[in-house]
């Protein structure tokens, strides 16, 4: 009986496995364009910033870039996960970035939004989901500011 190696996108832990019986699909987050793989680990991992939700993929094209405001932090990710409120990411990102000083993201926009006049957000504030009112005795007459200025009597 003639045995052939597993085709691309499949692997087998059995030597000389027949692709119709003992071959197993590469898992989600991985792919293989080579045939005859001997273990799951031999399936290539999609790079960080990309995901693959399918089993048995046989091309790097199966690894799709994560969308805006999602990330795939690790190689071999089966899915992209949403950024937390207060953070944003571009297309194909491995991590989300916290909005900088004078900006915020409450989860309703794809981008960091500018703080309005009279509000501020210091870049050192952990909560990047909102801007704060200037405290008594301070004001801010410009949009997108990271601090307030003392009122001049």
């Amino acid at each position: 009986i003639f045995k052939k190696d597993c085709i691309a996108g499949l692997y087998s832990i059995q030597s000389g496995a027949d692709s119709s019986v003992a071959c197993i699909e590469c898992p989600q987050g991985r792919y293989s364009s080579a045939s005859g793989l001997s273990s799951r680990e031999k399936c290539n991992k999609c790079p960080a910033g990309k995901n693959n939700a399918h089993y048995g993929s046989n091309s790097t094209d199966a690894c799709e870039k994560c969308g805006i405001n999602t990330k795939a932090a690790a190689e071999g990710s089966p899915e992209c996960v949403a950024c937390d409120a207060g953070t944003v990411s571009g297309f194909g990102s491995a991590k989300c970035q916290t909005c900088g000083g004078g900006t915020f993201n409450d989860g309703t926009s794809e981008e960091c939004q500018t703080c309005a006049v009279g509000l501020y957000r210091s870049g050192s504030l952990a909560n990047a989901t909102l801007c704060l009112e200037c405290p008594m005795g301070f004001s801010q007459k410009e949009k997108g500011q990271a601090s307030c200025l003392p009122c001049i009597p």
Side-chain angles (χ1 to χ4, degrees):
I1 295 176
F2 176 73
K3 299 262 185 187
K4 59 185 179 180
D5 287 338
C6 295
I7 60 173
L10 305 176
Y11 71 93
S12 178
I13 56 175
Q14 297 176 13
S15 178
D18 182 328
S19 61
S20 66
V21 178
C23 295
I24 304 165
E25 294 176 319
C26 287
Q28 294 172 310
R30 294 178 179 244
Y31 69 94
S32 176
S33 54
S35 60
L37 300 184
S38 60
S39 71
R40 175 184 185 270
E41 287 70 35
K42 301 264 183 181
C43 296
N44 301 308
K45 291 180 180 179
C46 291
K50 294 185 175 187
N51 74 310
N52 177 6
H54 307 286
Y55 291 93
S57 298
N58 61 10
S59 167
T60 186
D61 293 341
C63 300
E64 299 175 347
K65 287 184 177 182
C66 293
I68 301 292
N69 289 339
T70 66
K71 66 177 179 175
E75 293 180 337
S77 293
E79 64 183 356
C80 298
V81 295
C83 292
D84 293 331
T87 65
V88 293
S89 73
F91 194 59
S93 293
K95 62 182 180 177
C96 300
Q97 302 290 331
T98 301
C99 294
T103 65
F104 72 102
N105 186 305
D106 59 7
T108 62
S109 174
E110 290 185 352
E111 300 175 348
C112 293
Q113 300 158 299
T114 303
C115 293
V117 171
L119 303 177
Y120 77 101
R121 190 185 149 273
S122 166
S124 63
L125 289 175
N127 184 354
T129 63
L130 53 86
C131 297
L132 304 173
E133 289 186 25
C134 291
M136 185 73 84
F138 291 82
S139 68
Q140 187 48 262
K141 295 181 181 180
E142 295 182 30
K143 294 194 277 185
Q145 298 303 303
S147 63
C148 296
L149 301 172
C151 294
I152 299 173

